Amino acid sequence: MAYENIQVEKKDGVGIVTLHRPQALNALCAALVDEVGQAMRTFDADPEVGCIILTGSEKAFAAGADIKEMKDKSYQDVADEDFITDDWEVITTIRKPVIAAVSGYALGGGCEFAMMCDFIIAADTAKFGQPEIKLGTIPGAGGTQRLTRAVGKSLAMYLCLTGDMIDAETALRAGLVAKVVPADSLQEEAMKAAKTIAGLSQPVVRTCKESVNRAFETTLAEGMRFERRLFHSTFALDDRTEGMSAFAEKRKPNWKNR
Ligand code: HXC
């Protein structure tokens, strides 16, 4: 499949989607968002892929939704087309783990895109922000919601109300990112994590992701019940028997993905 705004690659069981609109710092135009959705769905359906990385360039993961593309839209336009809806949310429907590898700017929709992934590995050059307020609008793809859940009210309010950016270390302290690495080893570190995940039992990985995600949708009591039932369900898998047997026999597990 030929893409114009992204590059895709498959390596060692990992699908890599690289945002590639260098002339616009990977601003998320509709065509790019559509292509990301297609590529993600393709990797999700590919049995050779066990984990997906979403990344950008050294200078920018993505500098936000494409301002030039939306600047002339009226209220009627955005309301009629329900602008920023399902196509943007495709990442959150992917069943395989998706890692955001962020270098440089992750602003507005770029920060929101990264937050839709399962976790973020940031280069020490990464900058996160929700600058929509400076454009006379507000975040529209999770900047007031996922960000608040990730970093808490105070920092989320600060970012959304001032439009200021935070650096990678601040994002790490706030819990927005899982890990900060030197910029020149970002892709290597993301690959390392992705290969680890791709090398595990895929049904167990899928179950684990589903259980963590439920924490954002439900009460603690319901979430605990859900987790326990999924935990029980892993005992129906050959891979659960294999994993525990391999530990007891001091050998590497041989996953069958069933
Ligand atoms: C369209 C953009 C863009 C964007 C940068 N460019 N960000 N085009 N939409 N979001 C373009 C610039 O116009 C410029 O094109 C080229 O990319 C390089 O950008 P510069 O500004 O020259 O680079 P620099 O001086 O290094 O500044 C980098 C920057 C700045 C700080 C990231 O570009 C910036 O502030 N960008 C906008 C960030 C932003 O407001 N994001 C939120 C968007 S709203 P030319 O043709 O001039 O060379 C949003 C809403 C989401 O995301 C709602 C739901 C999804």
Side-chain angles (χ1 to χ4, degrees), residues 23-25 27 59 63-68 70 84 88 105 107-109 112 131-132 135 139-141 165:
Q23 74 284 7
L25 301 183
K59 180 166 180 186
D66 192 314
I67 301 166
K68 293 166 193 169
M70 58 182 169
I84 311 294
W88 277 71
Y105 297 111
L107 302 177
E112 291 168 318
E132 289 89 341
L135 301 169
M165 299 178 209

Side-chain angles (χ1 to χ4, degrees), residues 21-29 33 59-60 62-70 83-85 88 105-113 116 127 129-135 137-143 163 165:
R21 274 188 89 202
Q23 74 284 7
L25 301 183
N26 294 334
L28 304 166
C29 61
V33 172
K59 180 166 180 186
D66 192 314
I67 301 166
K68 293 166 193 169
E69 195 179 65
M70 58 182 169
F83 185 54
I84 311 294
T85 49
W88 277 71
Y105 297 111
L107 302 177
C111 185
E112 291 168 318
F113 239 39
M116 287 177 205
K127 286 189 171 10
Q130 298 291 159
E132 289 89 341
I133 200 114
K134 295 180 179 173
L135 301 169
T137 184
I138 70 166
M165 299 178 209

